[in-house]
Amino acid sequence: MPGLVGRFARTVMAGRCGRFVRWYGSGGGSDDNDGTSSGADDAQARELIDRQLKLAPAGGHQVLIVQPYIKWGVNKDRSTRPEVKADESRSLVRTLAEWSVTDTLLVGLTSYRKHTFFGPGNVDTIALRVARDRRITAVFVSVNVLKPGQHQHLEHRFGVPVYDRYLMVVQIFRRHAVTREAKLQVALAELPYIWSRIRGAQDGYAERLGTEAGQIALSGKLMYDDKKDLLKAYEKKLKKLVDKLRNHRQHLRHNRTNKDLPVVAVVGYTNAGKTSLVRALTGDAGLVPKDCLFATLDVTVHGGVLPSNMTVLYVDTIGFISDIPTRLIEPFVATLEDAMFADVIVHVRDMSHPNVIVQKAHVEKTLKSLSINPDLLNGVIDVGNKVDRLDNVEHDGSSVLISCTTGEGLDELKKKIESQIIKATGRRIIKIRVRTGRDEYEWLRTHTAIVSIDTDGDYSVMEVIVTQSDLDVFKSLFIRKKINN
């Protein structure tokens, strides 16, 4: 086993220095110097975080996936088969370009052990598999989050880095965060995990192991109090920067509201096809959907036109996923607030996925946790995507079934979005008879959505969709003016 511990040490130490500094500094950092912490302190905090997150070396990892599940009893998950969970676990690993899956083990348990997670027999079996297969450089135990003691025990026994779902998703977030905003959100999402790790080390988990792995876990010159002060200052700075971004997003939302542009938030489970749908609805060729989890971390806004010629803004949001701590998503609430303040929410589901019902329930539960207006929640448009992959689709009438690939159902969806917007925003569909080409005619063309125009001699009967505020302006400019004259 000493050889395995050595493999672990080499793997961790190979990537421990500087990678987070380069990643965050490439666009996620800030030039602000508010006295909270110096640049050197920031770099020291990031190096500490980098070590704890076990960032993979440049060549990635070859991963043994261990998918635990409760075999029976009240804690058994009866909604999702272990094989389906294992498929999602493999998708998580393969989302990282340089990573690969060597094998997958389904491990049935009666309960999760408090200190070791697995029982001794299962730990021995997994350790033996790692020892016999020299390709394996990491183990992914696909559970929400391992406790510090469990984590260190398993790393000591397996001799390679161990990842839980929290750590795996963070690796993906790091890769897919492009803008400064997304990088800040990821950095903030990592801190609760780091706090739990340094507190675990302080409680003596690593010291009790007395192993090389334990010494690595405690490596570094900083004592606990120094680490705590360093992270507190760093966390304060990150929160201040994220608050600035939240204020900026509120300003953008205010501008959109002033322009009376309806906003449609597109939400859904990760890889359900949100970006593909926004592209299909807007015709924006610049949007390039990717067949991987968490392809979108930044909320992006794209203009589109509905059948009535009404212009709307579609907001593409971060995807949801089950079995990760909610605290990993909490820092993204600043961006998810775009869904909270939308006029209509479109919930996209992958109808070809075997776990589509459970995914739907997870997204709905998450939306409810965001304190969204009940009227907005009650008006969510449910969209079943990827029907082209199915021979038969059961349709209960409550969903709009579509295919972003073939275009099936998109016209029906646009009409439903239009109807819901009119209802949610208090818009009205009215007909007005005005002189063709005159001021009233041109004003309506500029300020309303034109449904149809029927010419009648020198007059036109215009069917338009108009907000109450614009209708009041029209009356003031043209109808009341004529009466007063």
Side-chain angles (χ1 to χ4, degrees):
M1 197 61 69
L4 287 178
V5 174
R7 285 169 61 195
F8 167 76
R10 290 192 297 274
T11 304
V12 172
M13 300 301 287
R16 68 178 279 187
C17 295
R19 292 193 63 196
F20 184 72
V21 175
R22 292 195 297 273
W23 175 81
Y24 186 73
S26 65
S30 170
D31 294 329
D32 296 347
N33 187 358
D34 58 3
T36 306
S37 60
S38 68
D41 286 344
D42 286 352
Q44 198 170 20
R46 293 169 201 155
E47 184 178 351
L48 170 63
I49 293 167
D50 201 13
R51 288 199 304 269
Q52 295 291 342
L53 291 178
K54 308 179 190 304
L55 295 185
H61 273 305
Q62 298 184 74
V63 182
L64 171 65
I65 295 175
V66 180
Q67 183 64 62
Y69 64 97
I70 301 298
K71 295 186 288 187
W72 54 68
V74 294
N75 293 323
K76 175 181 171 64
D77 184 353
R78 291 172 172 79
S79 63
T80 308
R81 293 181 292 110
E83 293 80 5
V84 174
K85 288 187 175 182
D87 283 341
E88 184 170 274
S89 300
R90 283 188 286 268
S91 295
L92 281 169
V93 174
R94 290 168 180 159
T95 295
L96 296 164
E98 300 87 2
W99 294 46
S100 60
V101 178
T102 61
D103 203 357
T104 304
L105 297 179
L106 300 180
V107 179
L109 306 170
T110 56
S111 65
Y112 299 145
R113 300 290 183 93
K114 181 177 180 181
H115 297 296
T116 60
F117 191 81
F118 297 106
N122 284 318
V123 171
D124 290 344
T125 299
I126 299 167
L128 185 60
R129 174 68 69 92
V130 175
R132 287 178 174 176
D133 190 341
R134 301 290 296 178
R135 298 175 302 162
I136 298 172
T137 61
V139 173
F140 173 26
V141 180
S142 188
V143 293
N144 185 315
V145 60
L146 291 166
K147 296 177 181 178
Q150 295 170 337
H151 205 154
Q152 292 176 16
H153 172 76
L154 295 179
E155 286 193 332
H156 165 54
R157 292 300 313 276
F158 301 158
V160 295
V162 172
Y163 294 82
D164 51 24
R165 286 175 73 90
Y166 190 110
L167 275 180
M168 189 60 65
V169 171
V170 163
Q171 313 293 316
I172 298 170
F173 279 5
R174 286 277 189 106
R175 300 293 183 90
H176 291 180
V178 176
T179 66
R180 178 173 178 267
E181 179 174 3
K183 291 179 180 183
L184 281 171
Q185 300 283 7
V186 172
L188 192 57
E190 293 166 351
L191 286 179
Y193 191 93
I194 305 305
W195 277 117
S196 71
R197 264 44 197 170
I198 66 169
R199 285 168 182 152
Q202 173 67 11
D203 290 341
Y205 289 116
E207 290 97 325
R208 288 199 296 272
L209 288 175
T211 63
E212 184 178 357
Q215 293 306 311
I216 292 171
L218 288 175
S219 63
K221 299 178 181 179
L222 295 173
M223 300 299 290
Y224 173 71
D225 287 341
D226 295 325
K227 292 178 183 178
K228 183 174 67 174
D229 293 340
L230 194 67
L231 285 177
K232 278 185 176 180
Y234 184 62
E235 185 173 25
K236 181 179 179 181
K237 190 169 189 176
L238 285 177
K239 287 182 176 179
K240 182 177 180 180
L241 291 170
V242 170
D243 284 341
K244 287 182 180 179
L245 290 170
R246 178 179 279 110
N247 292 334
H248 176 63
R249 298 198 71 85
Q250 288 174 346
H251 177 68
L252 292 178
R253 282 195 297 269
H254 179 69
N255 286 344
R256 292 201 296 263
T257 301
N258 286 344
K259 293 178 181 178
D260 274 330
L261 291 175
V263 177
V264 179
V266 181
V267 304
Y269 206 82
T270 184
N271 209 31
K274 296 181 297 300
T275 301
S276 295
L277 178 58
V278 173
R279 176 176 177 168
L281 292 172
T282 63
D284 187 345
L287 282 170
V288 182
K290 297 179 181 179
D291 186 18
C292 64
L293 305 185
F294 298 113
T296 300
L297 288 188
D298 293 286
V299 169
T300 55
V301 182
H302 310 268
V305 180
L306 294 174
S308 65
N309 294 317
M310 178 166 48
T311 300
V312 297
L313 297 178
Y314 292 99
V315 179
D316 189 7
T317 64
I318 183 176
F320 301 110
I321 193 170
S322 62
D323 293 334
I324 59 172
T326 54
R327 66 190 181 196
L328 192 56
I329 297 297
E330 283 172 0
F332 288 89
V333 168
T335 51
L336 289 172
E337 283 175 350
D338 281 285
M340 297 168 62
F341 293 100
D343 298 300
V344 174
I345 295 177
V346 172
H347 175 194
V348 188
R349 297 188 289 138
D350 177 0
M351 298 301 289
S352 68
H353 196 283
N355 220 29
V356 61
I357 295 176
V358 175
Q359 290 181 353
K360 178 184 179 183
H362 176 73
V363 172
E364 290 175 343
K365 180 180 179 182
T366 305
L367 288 176
K368 289 178 181 176
S369 71
L370 294 176
S371 302
I372 294 176
N373 184 296
D375 291 335
L376 182 58
L377 274 181
N378 293 334
V380 170
I381 299 174
D382 191 84
V383 177
N385 188 25
K386 305 185 184 180
V387 295
D388 55 297
R389 299 184 180 183
L390 302 171
D391 295 328
N392 296 298
V393 182
E394 294 184 9
H395 192 194
D396 59 6
S398 63
S399 303
V400 181
L401 301 181
I402 69 163
S403 167
C404 294
T405 302
T406 67
E408 178 183 348
L410 289 178
D411 289 341
E412 179 188 352
L413 175 58
K414 288 180 180 179
K415 291 177 182 177
K416 189 157 188 175
I417 291 173
E418 182 175 275
S419 174
Q420 190 66 21
I421 284 175
I422 292 172
K423 178 182 176 181
T425 62
R427 280 170 164 77
R428 297 172 58 185
I429 302 178
I430 62 174
K431 289 184 178 182
I432 304 178
R433 188 171 181 267
V434 297
R435 282 188 176 272
T436 304
R438 301 294 288 271
D439 290 348
E440 300 98 317
Y441 180 91
E442 294 301 330
W443 193 94
L444 290 172
R445 284 176 59 87
T446 303
H447 294 88
T448 68
I450 308 297
V451 179
S452 65
I453 301 177
D454 293 326
T455 302
D456 178 16
D458 293 337
Y459 290 85
S460 293
V461 178
M462 305 180 71
E463 185 177 9
V464 300
I465 299 177
V466 61
T467 64
Q468 185 60 51
S469 60
D470 279 342
L471 183 59
D472 291 340
V473 171
F474 180 83
K475 290 177 179 178
S476 176
L477 288 175
F478 303 108
I479 298 177
R480 291 171 188 155
K481 182 177 179 181
K482 289 180 179 180
I483 294 174
N484 292 333
N485 289 339

